[in-house]
Amino acid sequence: ERNNLAGVQHILLVLSGKGGVGKSTISTELALSLRHSGKKVGILDVDLCGPSIPRMFRVQDKAVHQCDSGWVPVFVDQDKSISLMSIGFLLEKPDDAVVWRGPKKNALIKQFVADVAWGDLDFLIVDTPPGTSDEHISTVEALRPYKPHGAILVTTPQAVSVGDVRRELTFCKKMGLHILGIVENMSGFVCPHCSECTNIFSKGGGEELAKHAGVPFLGCVPLDPQLSQSLEEGRDFIQEFPKSSAFPPLAHIAQQILDGMSQQSS
Amino acid sequence: QVALLDIDICGPSIPKMMGLEGEQVHQSGSGWSPVYVEENLGVMSVGFLLSSPDDAVIWRGPKKNGLIKQFLRDVDWGEVDYLIVDTPPGTSDEHLSIVQYLSAAHIDGAVIITTPQEVSLQDVRKEINFCHKVKLPIIGVVENMSGFICPKCKNESQIFPPTTGGAEKMCQNLNVPLLGKVPLDPQIGKSCDKGQSFLSEAPKSPATSSYRNIIQRIQEYCDQHHFQEEKII
């Protein structure tokens, strides 16, 4: 029986209890950072209702092809160092709503996990929708035989977000998923005109949660209009904006993931 | 008389935002009693059924649907002018179920929330299509997190840039009303975290006037609707 994940070295999940906190953003920037360190990365987008990953790489108009081993993932460029799979590539029209109940979603997720011919990858990043439901249960169960390395949890600083991410931590523990750490996203905004920092979505909740839960804190990523703009245009933020405020923390998150790998192998 | 029903089963935020964290639901002969913020504002959420803030609700679709049915059938709301249903993101079980279960009761319509950038709009267009598919009328769209005015220098920044024209352009293209735009205000998040009413805490914020205008438009829509219904009868 073919094993399309045989060539994948490390599987990482990006989770959150809360919607709109920046999971897809963190997945995208992590992939770009790892690529910059010379790694080959795949992103599996299992958000079936709101697939954001294709546009973030400017490949939203691409289609998916079949080969003998299954689906060929979409390469982001000729380099072939980043490949993607998302329901976004399977929709006839981009505005088509995927109005499916759980069982149908579960069936596609099983296919996505087993039937994408990833080839050799250093990292497979799995971007998820918010919550602790069908997609999450099915994804973790389907990935279990391939021993995922762990999960990165994304929150914004305020209590309303942290409150949901606490539940996601419980989900990880119950499902036996190792927690690589917490990212506090949208953490502060520095005005480009006067450099005043405003904590629009409060500050510190992610760090406190990491401390309280005894999991690593991977860092604070500020609100950065250049980052938002890059995502809109499907540009490589890590390559093009190394001086922007979000760059150092994003690079640091990737470095911690890489350090974790080398520790593991030694 | 307002009822607020939170059907985000995995991520119930309403109890905290209403200052009702830790409250429990009481049962009586007439069913479950909503938790009251004030005499004329009752709330129901799975959050009230969980014993710890760490408790995760790890349920597949059918079980979530079952609870939503119970919320609608077994909660003793009493006489209510407005039932507001807060939903999770997506177009799945919760959304299909709530529309299905409320079909006999007649839903006035849906208010759809977006942020200005295309990454958000591309999902919201799907949500609008969902509404068309299930014949749910759309009251209108709200553009949230629409710009930020620095408290120090008063310059505006588009933190979530409307690179494709924002909600305004989308609403024009899809022929759907734009109810209003709400700017970012750090006080909003603070009030929600503390469970206080932002409208009372920051009456002079530009966000407050935005909210109030949007709410007025929603009320006008509902009044018009009611009037048209009565005409038919």
Side-chain angles (χ1 to χ4, degrees):
Chain A
E1 230 203 69
R2 67 158 178 256
N3 176 3
N4 277 318
L5 293 175
V8 176
Q9 295 304 310
H10 305 286
I11 299 172
L12 309 171
L13 281 83
V14 179
L15 301 168
S16 178
K18 196 109 190 90
V21 298
K23 286 177 290 315
S24 298
T25 298
I26 296 297
S27 297
T28 296
E29 301 310 317
L30 181 57
L32 292 168
S33 300
L34 291 170
R35 183 204 13 215
H36 272 273
S37 303
K39 304 297 179 190
K40 266 190 104 185
V41 187
I43 304 183
L44 175 58
D45 177 5
V46 298
D47 189 341
L48 304 183
C49 298
S52 304
I53 295 290
R55 174 169 280 274
M56 290 179 168
F57 288 92
R58 204 163 38 191
V59 290
Q60 63 270 30
D61 298 326
K62 295 265 160 66
V64 160
H65 303 286
Q66 297 259 355
C67 68
D68 286 338
S69 345
W71 284 328
V72 181
V74 172
F75 291 104
V76 158
D77 53 26
Q78 292 191 333
D79 211 23
K80 293 197 173 184
S81 47
I82 295 182
S83 50
L84 315 174
M85 181 51 66
S86 168
I87 199 177
F89 300 126
L90 305 175
L91 300 172
E92 268 191 45
K93 282 178 264 158
D95 297 342
D96 280 347
V98 174
V99 185
W100 295 354
R101 287 194 184 273
K104 208 165 170 184
K105 291 197 283 188
N106 299 335
L108 183 62
I109 285 171
K110 275 199 189 124
Q111 270 196 282
F112 268 179
V113 171
D115 295 347
V116 176
W118 295 106
D120 290 327
L121 291 177
D122 295 295
F123 291 94
L124 177 62
I125 296 169
V126 184
D127 185 30
T128 63
T132 52
S133 189
D134 285 279
E135 294 90 330
H136 313 86
I137 300 169
S138 296
T139 300
V140 174
E141 282 179 358
L143 285 174
R144 214 187 285 280
Y146 309 102
K147 298 193 184 19
H149 185 65
I152 295 168
L153 273 66
V154 182
T155 185
T156 51
Q158 79 269 53
V160 166
S161 175
V162 168
D164 285 348
V165 178
R166 283 177 81 160
R167 305 187 210 279
E168 200 73 30
L169 282 169
T170 303
F171 169 83
C172 290
K173 291 191 187 128
K174 284 203 163 151
M175 302 293 283
L177 192 53
H178 176 58
I179 295 161
L180 293 168
I182 292 177
V183 172
E184 183 178 300
N185 197 24
M186 305 196 194
S187 189
F189 173 67
V190 176
C191 177
H193 304 278
C194 71
S195 298
E196 168 88 350
C197 181
T198 307
N199 291 325
I200 298 180
F201 299 116
S202 196
K203 183 110 182 134
E207 187 160 13
E208 273 167 43
L209 176 61
K211 213 186 275 174
H212 166 88
V215 301
F217 181 59
L218 298 175
C220 291
V221 182
L223 285 160
D224 181 342
Q226 279 184 324
L227 174 59
S228 314
Q229 190 76 23
S230 289
L231 293 159
E232 286 286 281
E233 295 170 6
R235 296 167 75 169
D236 184 342
F237 173 81
I238 301 293
Q239 167 100 335
E240 297 180 36
F241 298 102
K243 295 212 168 45
S244 205
S245 59
F247 176 88
L250 289 171
H252 183 53
I253 292 167
Q255 192 56 53
Q256 292 175 86
I257 299 296
L258 289 167
D259 291 344
M261 302 300 144
S262 47
Q263 260 179 22
Q264 208 189 27
S265 45
S266 60
Chain B
Q1 192 68 30
V2 183
L4 178 57
L5 172 59
D6 177 8
I7 60 166
D8 189 339
I9 310 286
C10 298
S13 302
I14 296 291
K16 181 181 270 293
M17 289 171 143
M18 289 287 173
L20 299 174
E21 252 193 330
E23 294 281 342
Q24 304 260 286
V25 166
H26 300 285
Q27 294 224 25
S28 74
S30 41
W32 288 355
S33 179
V35 180
Y36 286 94
V37 179
E38 288 167 55
E39 253 188 70
N40 62 341
L41 175 53
V43 179
M44 183 52 65
S45 165
V46 76
F48 299 132
L49 305 176
L50 302 171
S51 43
S52 153
D54 294 316
D55 282 349
V57 181
I58 308 172
W59 291 356
R60 291 193 182 275
K63 210 165 170 185
K64 290 194 288 187
N65 298 336
L67 183 62
I68 292 170
K69 217 184 224 174
Q70 268 198 285
F71 277 167
L72 292 172
R73 189 189 57 209
D74 296 343
V75 173
D76 184 16
W77 294 108
E79 293 287 321
V80 167
D81 295 303
Y82 292 94
L83 170 64
I84 300 166
V85 184
D86 185 30
T87 63
T91 51
S92 187
D93 283 280
E94 297 87 333
H95 315 83
L96 283 166
S97 294
I98 195 74
V99 169
Q100 205 185 318
Y101 300 152
L102 284 175
S103 55
H106 170 74
I107 304 174
D108 287 62
V111 177
I112 300 178
I113 317 294
T114 186
T115 49
Q117 75 279 44
E118 178 59 27
V119 162
S120 176
L121 296 173
Q122 73 179 2
D123 287 351
V124 171
R125 287 193 200 96
K126 296 189 202 323
E127 198 72 44
I128 291 172
N129 277 326
F130 166 82
C131 291
H132 291 326
K133 244 184 184 166
V134 300
K135 302 203 189 348
L136 180 56
I138 295 171
I139 301 175
V141 171
V142 172
E143 183 178 276
N144 198 19
M145 306 194 193
S146 189
F148 172 68
I149 298 197
C150 177
K152 189 168 180 206
C153 69
K154 310 295 180 202
N155 279 299
E156 190 179 20
S157 289
Q158 293 293 345
I159 296 178
F160 302 112
T163 61
T164 57
E168 194 156 353
K169 188 85 196 285
M170 178 188 72
C171 287
Q172 260 170 31
N173 289 343
L174 299 179
N175 199 26
V176 160
L178 176 65
L179 296 174
K181 301 183 191 182
V182 184
L184 282 161
D185 180 335
Q187 188 62 40
I188 298 173
K190 268 198 203 123
S191 298
C192 288
D193 277 358
K194 290 199 222 149
Q196 292 164 340
S197 162
F198 168 76
L199 300 178
S200 309
E201 294 290 305
K204 293 209 170 48
S205 166
T208 298
S209 18
S210 297
Y211 280 135
R212 291 208 184 279
N213 287 335
I214 290 164
I215 292 161
Q216 192 176 339
R217 289 193 62 180
I218 295 171
Q219 281 184 292
E220 283 166 6
Y221 174 96
C222 293
D223 290 340
Q224 251 184 13
H225 236 72
H226 203 68
F227 177 63
Q228 280 171 355
E229 251 178 68
E230 288 182 336
K231 270 177 99 172
I232 293 167
I233 295 167

